[in-house]
Amino acid sequence: MGASSLRILVVGAGIAGLAVARALRLAGFRPDVTERLPLTERADIGLYLPGNAARALRRLDLDGPVRPLGQVIHRQRFLDAAGVPLCEVDLDVLWAGVGECRALPRAELHRVLLTGAGGAVRHGAEISTVQPLPGGVAVGFADGTSGEYDLVIGADGPRSTVRTLAALGGPPRPVGQVVYRAVVRGGPRVADWTALLGDRAGFLVVPIGAGRLHCYADEAGTTLPADPLARLHELFGAYGGPVPEVLDVLDTVQVELTEEVELGRWFHDRVLLIGDAAHATAPTLAQGAAMALEDAVVLAEALRAADSVDAALIAYESRRRPRTRWVRDRTRDRNRTRDVPPALRDPLLRGRGGRIFQEHYRLLVDPL
């Protein structure tokens, strides 16, 4: 295929959309990128990137700009609700030869990806129609403008508009988990990825550099609390470890219900879904950004190598499905482990927890 002549539209300018725009540019394509939201500062939350995300960033030639950001994480520590150790994972050993694990503000990664994608994003452009054409796609926007493309890539998240318009699937499925996210400053000194596991609830603290901590908490449930901050104190006020000091300085928190996307197919005609639009899972394995980055690398390779767009999409999905299915299945496994009563779960984790948690990433250590 002639890369320079292929008309590609990327819908969504989050991590998945900007990563695929970057990958396509490196492969010689010149995609258009649209985003329905206006240009605003990203929410102040943290992000943990496992070693396979670092490998994908190298493939995108963005490891250099990311290297000064955030903090490298060498160890995962799992504690019980009182702060007593359960098990740990040596991340340098687990991801040896793949990449280092890093935690950083999501907004900082987004800025690197935006620059890498060329910086040209059409904000406030909401998709209203997607119509197949012979060998292409006609796209209409809510402002009355339109365009024709050889390929439309839906990178617009779990509640993807492209997925709905292209009849690739319905709304995401709630997984019965309420999640809380925040960044705190002036909290306790924490060097490792540190999770405290309670009774169907957990609290995670990860350093993201410059004295900041990314805090993530979850509980089983299907309803958002009226006062998320009060609910955090209610749930975790009796926890040990670094949690009391974190709660003392925590003043704002974001809360949402976790959703999952599982589809029978990721593309129809010349419309393809990537990232969370195609395979969102609960954030338990912290693989959302990593899967989006890997998707970008593989899709660009498939388009560059294939004789046609249709052949490229088939090759792309066949390569990506096994890894994303692994992440989904292992995420469900870990969530089931977390839901076991502590009296049964904690002795198991003290004996075999490190090996169990390492096994969740076994396939992801392998090359793309």
Side-chain angles (χ1 to χ4, degrees), residues 15-27:
I15 290 175
L18 294 178
V20 77
R22 168 66 174 183
L24 291 171
R25 283 183 169 273
L26 290 177

Side-chain angles (χ1 to χ4, degrees), residues 253-272:
V253 62
Q254 299 179 43
V255 60
E256 63 183 4
L257 299 177
T258 295
E259 297 173 321
E260 182 180 82
V261 174
E262 185 177 0
L263 303 176
R265 56 181 179 174
W266 293 349
F267 70 91
H268 179 60
D269 294 325
R270 294 292 185 87
V271 180
L272 170 73

Side-chain angles (χ1 to χ4, degrees), residues 16 20 52-53 55-56 59 263 266-267 272-276 278-281 287-302 312-328 363-368:
V20 77
N52 60 317
R55 174 172 55 197
R59 300 280 290 274
L263 303 176
W266 293 349
F267 70 91
L272 170 73
L273 303 175
I274 69 167
D276 283 349
H279 46 69
T281 65
Q287 278 292 317
M291 289 295 100
L293 294 169
E294 288 189 359
D295 282 354
V297 171
V298 173
L299 178 58
E301 289 182 351
L313 300 187
I314 293 170
Y316 166 76
E317 184 166 341
S318 68
R319 282 182 62 185
R320 291 302 295 153
R321 267 203 182 270
R323 290 173 81 88
T324 60
R325 186 183 301 117
W326 174 275
V327 169
R328 183 194 67 215
L363 182 69
L364 305 179
V365 172
D366 295 339
L368 298 181

Side-chain angles (χ1 to χ4, degrees), residues 185-204:
R185 295 165 176 80
R189 184 183 179 92
V190 177
D192 301 311
W193 183 104
T194 305
L196 289 88
L197 308 183
D199 187 3
R200 305 195 74 196
F203 200 105
L204 170 67

Side-chain angles (χ1 to χ4, degrees), residues 19-49:
V20 77
R22 168 66 174 183
L24 291 171
R25 283 183 169 273
L26 290 177
F29 301 93
R30 291 295 178 264
D32 295 335
V33 183
T34 62
E35 168 59 53
R36 68 178 181 85
L37 298 176
L39 179 59
T40 57
E41 272 297 310
R42 295 275 159 165
D44 188 20
I45 60 174
L47 184 66
Y48 170 69
L49 298 175

